[in-house]
């Protein structure tokens, strides 16, 4: 099955963006995109500096975790990415980040509610904290897919990080930024009072725009 360089370039470029925008540190986190025409998954390699990753370093998998193209070892979290794609046909990009503020919520096993309009529109009514599972396991993938459900575009991983998804990489990156900004606001708001939550009716109205 033919692979496409443009998807490899998207994954490589997104890794640099993650580092430069403080969404992860070191080689942690991982990125993938799905080609909706072939269902092939383009995923970042394991253990490489994001600034050194070239398009030819990206690994291409099918939905059965078979390597179709690439000489590198695929991300340890490949099972999580594939679990998301199997469960959510609307998702064509997955970005697993290790950011500061949303990770704080995950450490406390807290949810992040829709306290801002941009969050309600692009992420969902809230994001929950999934059940814990060790990194790189099939169990983690099952827990992440369950935490996303059918409509939410992010989930917190306890003591780990955040998984963000979208119909394309641009959307998934926007979700990353909105989730982290909202987590920061929520933590600050909890420190000075009781955050006001947007009603379910208003959330639905905004999502229907």
């Amino acid at each position: 099955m033919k692979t496409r360089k443009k998807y490899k370039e998207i994954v490589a470029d997104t890794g640099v963006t993650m580092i430069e925008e403080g969404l992860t540190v070191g080689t942690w986190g991982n990125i993938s995109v799905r080609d909706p025409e072939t269902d092939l998954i383009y995923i970042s390699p394991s253990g490489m500096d994001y600034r050194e990753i070239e398009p030819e370093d990206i690994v291409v998998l099918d939905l059965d975790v078979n390597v179709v193209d690439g000489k590198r070892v695929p991300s340890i979290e490949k099972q999580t990415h594939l679990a998301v794609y199997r469960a959510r046909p609307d998702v064509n990009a997955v970005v697993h980040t290790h950011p500061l503020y949303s990770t704080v919520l995950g450490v406390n096993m807290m949810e992040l509610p829709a306290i801002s309009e941009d969050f309600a529109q692009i992420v969902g009514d809230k994001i929950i904290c999934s059940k814990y599972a060790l990194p790189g396991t099939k169990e983690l993938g099952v827990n992440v897919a369950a935490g996303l459900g059918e409509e939410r575009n992010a989930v917190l991983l306890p003591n780990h990080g955040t998984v963000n998804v979208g119909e394309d990489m641009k959307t998934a990156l926007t979700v990353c930024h909105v989730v982290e900004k909202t987590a920061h606001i929520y933590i600050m708001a909890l420190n000075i009072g009781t955050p006001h939550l947007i009603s379910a009716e208003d959330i639905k109205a905004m999502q229907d725009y």
Side-chain angles (χ1 to χ4, degrees):
M1 206 174 287
K2 187 177 180 181
T3 61
R4 301 185 183 185
K5 186 178 180 181
K6 72 173 183 178
Y7 291 114
K8 295 182 179 182
E9 292 172 341
I10 288 170
V11 174
D13 291 346
T14 301
V16 176
T17 299
M18 269 206 320
I19 288 289
E20 291 181 345
E21 298 187 1
L23 294 171
T24 195
V25 294
T27 63
W28 285 277
N30 27 80
I31 307 146
S32 70
V33 293
R34 167 165 54 187
D35 179 350
E37 292 185 12
T38 64
D39 261 352
L40 293 179
I41 310 303
Y42 296 69
I43 193 166
S44 52
S46 179
M48 284 190 70
D49 186 322
Y50 286 109
R51 293 186 178 91
E52 297 177 0
I53 293 175
E54 300 291 340
E56 56 265 29
D57 295 313
I58 305 307
V59 184
V60 185
L61 307 171
D62 64 20
L63 289 174
D64 294 318
V65 207
N66 298 308
V67 175
V68 174
D69 184 34
K71 297 179 180 179
R72 299 289 184 180
V73 176
S75 169
I76 187 177
E77 302 296 6
K78 58 185 179 293
Q79 296 284 1
T80 292
H81 289 252
L82 292 171
V84 172
Y85 290 123
R86 292 188 199 108
R88 291 281 297 271
D90 61 311
V91 166
N92 290 312
V94 176
V95 182
H96 169 40
T97 57
H98 284 212
L100 179 59
Y101 294 103
S102 50
T103 301
V104 168
L105 297 179
V107 168
N108 284 341
M109 298 290 286
M110 297 170 67
E111 296 182 347
L112 178 58
I115 56 167
S116 62
E117 293 178 347
D118 52 0
F119 184 99
Q121 291 169 14
I122 195 170
V123 183
D125 58 339
K126 63 180 177 180
I127 60 175
I128 68 170
C129 194
S130 70
K131 294 180 181 179
Y132 181 79
L134 289 171
T137 61
K138 286 185 178 181
E139 183 184 4
L140 179 60
V142 170
N143 293 350
V144 166
L148 287 170
E150 296 180 357
E151 296 182 351
R152 294 180 184 130
N153 287 329
V155 61
L156 303 171
L157 311 185
N159 309 93
H160 190 158
T162 308
V163 171
N164 312 267
V165 305
E167 63 183 357
D168 52 34
M169 186 57 72
K170 180 179 179 181
T171 304
L173 274 174
T174 301
V175 170
C176 292
H177 296 135
V178 171
V179 166
E180 184 63 358
K181 180 196 70 136
T182 305
H184 191 178
I185 294 169
Y186 188 53
I187 290 168
M188 293 178 69
L190 286 171
N191 282 326
I192 63 171
T194 302
H196 172 259
L197 305 185
I198 301 172
S199 70
E201 292 79 12
D202 287 343
I203 289 173
K204 187 176 186 309
M206 283 186 284
Q207 291 175 343
D208 288 341
Y209 285 162

